[in-house]
Amino acid sequence: MGRFFFLQLNNITFRYSYSIMRYSQMLIRTAKEIPAEAEVISHQLLLRAGFIRKLTSGLYTYLPLGLAAIRKVEAIVREEMNRAGAQELLMPMVQPADLWQESGRWVKYGPELLRFQDRHNREYCLGPTHEEVITDIARRELHSYRQLPVNLYQIQTKFRDEIRPRFGLMRGREFIMKDAYSFDVSDEAAGQSYQTMRDAYTRIFQRCGLEFRAVEADSGSIGGSFSHEFMVLADTGEDTLVICQECEYAANVEKAKVVLLAEPASETTDDSTGEVQDCIKVETPGMKKVDRVAEFLKVTPQQVIKTMIYLADEEPVAVLVRGDREVQSVKLKNLLDVAEVELAEDDTVWKLTKLPVGYIGPVNIPIKMVADQEVMTMINAVTGANEKGHHLTGVTPGRDFTPVAVGDLRQITKEDRCPVCQGALELTEGIEVGHIFKLGTNYSEAMHAVYQDQEGKEQAMVMGCYGIGISRVVAAAIEQNHDENGIIFPLPLAPVQVIVLNLSIKNEETTATAEKLYQDLQAAGIEVLLDDRDERPGSKFKDADLIGIPYRVTVGKTWEKEGKVELRTRRDGTTTLLDYEQAASTITTSIQDELNALK
RNA sequence: CGGAACGUGGCGCAGUCUGGUAGCGCACUUGACUGGGGGUCAAGGGGUCGGAGGUUCAAAUCCUCUCGUUCCGACCA
């Protein structure tokens, strides 16, 4: 009864087997009602379709169908990683503290790192990522330039003690991740490894049948100089992307460069003559918001300089942006070179400046100040006066105040232009499913992972690291592909490719036909589920739709009357009548064609 | 971490204000009918109301503590 399919790749054959493929015997429990705890669509559907069950906050059991989808993603990832020359290994999930102390992250990583002690009071953590362990392997096993480059990967369960786990598989505390680490002799060689992974990732997500973009990204806490994120485009994405309509440029808004436009002076000055005016203090009682101040003083928000107080690693910093702009906190973090930036609370602002928020300004402010590049082009601007109920007009940067640092600090908008080609930009939402980093020598230097070059000299290995959220890919696929009836799996990720509905199990001929079709499809190497339950047709249709099987074959009335079975595609609902004799081969061909088209 | 809400059979909920020892829908079991988009009827099984303590003749219901879950915030001066 069991069946197998084989994947031939790089001389390695993986066999994946399903024990049972009869609906009546499988653990598939579907629900009509939406579980109260599920907010986003993928979470709702994964629960309703019987793919996952929650054990506790952020921790899920993958039921047979859910696991089958996970295995599909894993198989594609393995195949493409191996094709790209990476080697699979498997590291422990539990990691000793001393490795993390060596890299410095035992202190730096923060509360997301779940730490605990064993019976001897030795410190450990659950691995949220594996740079330390892999670097330890590298320094023990790799000693010569002749052994490099090497790319090692694993598919492992990670644990991150998220502040707020949510959205089911999208942000769990425990999740399945493919992580790969490359080791090279030079920066240039590491760039080559990076490019190889970038290509592999593109192939992986193409083969998954997902609509995605690779975008320039902030490298975040993992560190490193350069990185790309792979984003599945979906309305519910947690990230915002900016995509150029003209060229290939695409970036996370955390990273997207704002280019200064040469705007006519009249737009940023309250005087079309462009003459620099004197700085004057004016009363603005109760005017805290930019819009109110601008309206009151009969200027536009573009002529106001907004002063925001942030805490950068606990140190207060005043941040200046134009009145209609927003601070991009990741850019701020990078400019200040700190680990954390946080907007100061109102009472913190009061303690620091003895001012209510709304009247703070850059002129003679006693705290460290940085400004967005755009601010420095303004003249005769309006700012807070650092006095309750007052603002200043005629403020000009450079003359009236000088920031300690100036840079690109604001969030990009769709009115901005592409930093590469000046083309129009579009903003869209995305779900991060993959992230690749050039790490450089951060870890290898900290942990002394070195090799000997041709001259016998010790050199730090140049590293890269590359992650894919396997379980998140499944959630993202559903976010991107569903309708009111349920999941619509892209064929490569579907837990099974075909579902055969036997609509009258009491009719021996119908049943025999459905059975034969089931067996023929299996024999042809197709993954097929036979719905042999004693249920009414309506329930079978609803369940087939809900669990998202791409192809559905119905053996029922049409078979009894006309000797034909019905083939229906889940995505567009098109139905074709097939003679029984052709059915298995037609379906097989169709599936193979569709899969090949993605390769 | 801050704010809010919720915890009642497997799931979704009512009952809580106005204490009197538990109810509905789905799911499940049995039977009959039915059989192309989650059917109908009938008969059943299953909960002591998150936990602990308290008030009371009496607590799902009131009080205290606690645990858990979910949502919101963690952004615009």
Side-chain angles (χ1 to χ4, degrees), chain A residues 466-537:
Chain A
Y466 318 93
I468 291 178
I470 302 279
S471 39
R472 187 183 273 187
V473 168
V474 174
I478 295 171
E479 289 294 335
Q480 191 182 76
N481 302 280
H482 65 269
D483 63 14
E484 63 281 3
N485 293 314
I487 304 170
I488 306 174
F489 269 114
L491 183 61
L493 302 189
V496 294
Q497 296 162 332
V498 182
I499 182 166
V500 175
L501 304 188
N502 174 5
L503 288 196
S504 27
I505 60 163
K506 297 203 171 97
N507 180 324
E508 282 180 18
E509 282 183 35
T510 307
T511 299
T513 303
E515 288 282 341
K516 184 77 169 44
L517 193 53
Y518 167 63
Q519 282 165 17
D520 287 353
L521 284 167
Q522 283 194 335
I526 300 300
E527 305 150 30
V528 52
L529 172 63
L530 176 65
D531 191 346
D532 57 343
R533 295 174 300 166
D534 184 9
E535 288 289 338
R536 294 172 63 87

Side-chain angles (χ1 to χ4, degrees), chain A residues 211-235:
Chain A
E211 197 186 338
F212 70 98
R213 278 303 179 98
V215 303
E216 289 182 17
D218 180 66
S219 48
S221 62
I222 299 207
S225 46
F226 194 63
S227 91
H228 283 85
E229 287 167 337
F230 286 75
M231 296 282 190
V232 168
L233 305 186
D235 299 334

